[in-house]
């Protein structure tokens, strides 16, 4: 009988640790995304001619031709999907932890029958 609240606290602590880890990874990806990937993608989005050079928001020249433009598109798509996936995971962890702390959702003890 006494193991129930302890188990709930351990479960809540596991979710807190998971939120911190996923949140740290999320912050690193957001910084990389907003600082490098998105500016280069936006610099090349309007470059249609072969050998065009775009300028990103930092004032750097970006080569926008052939493989470079295709690779930039793929990097943008993949990083966007990673950001969306991490956002969903963080939202689910946050909601699950809040439901556990309110007592509306508990992990069932499989040893009790």
């Amino acid at each position: 009988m006494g193991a129930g609240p302890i188990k709930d606290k351990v479960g809540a602590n596991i979710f807190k640790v998971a939120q911190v880890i996923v949140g740290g990874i999320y912050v690193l990806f957001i910084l990389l995304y907003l600082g490098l990937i998105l500016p280069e993608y936006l610099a090349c989005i309007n470059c249609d001619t072969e050998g065009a050079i775009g300028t990103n928001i930092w004032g750097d020249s970006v080569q926008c031709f052939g493989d470079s433009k295709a690779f930039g598109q793929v990097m943008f798509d993949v990083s966007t999907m990673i950001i969306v996936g991490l956002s969903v995971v963080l939202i689910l962890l946050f909601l699950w932890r809040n439901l556990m702390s309110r007592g509306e959702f508990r992990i069932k003890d499989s040893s009790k029958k």
Side-chain angles (χ1 to χ4, degrees), residues 9-67:
K9 287 183 182 180
V10 170
N13 287 338
I14 289 172
F15 283 112
K16 285 181 186 178
V17 169
Q19 273 184 317
V20 168
I21 291 170
V22 174
I25 294 169
Y26 182 76
V27 167
L28 290 175
F29 268 108
I30 284 287
L31 291 175
L32 178 71
Y33 183 74
L34 293 176
L36 295 175
I37 297 170
L38 190 62
E40 288 198 20
Y41 172 75
L42 293 176
C44 290
I45 202 164
N46 291 327
C47 296
D48 293 331
T49 60
E50 188 66 29
I53 302 291
T55 304
N56 64 12
I57 61 172
W58 309 115
D60 298 330
S61 296
V62 179
Q63 297 177 352
C64 302
F65 56 87
D67 293 339

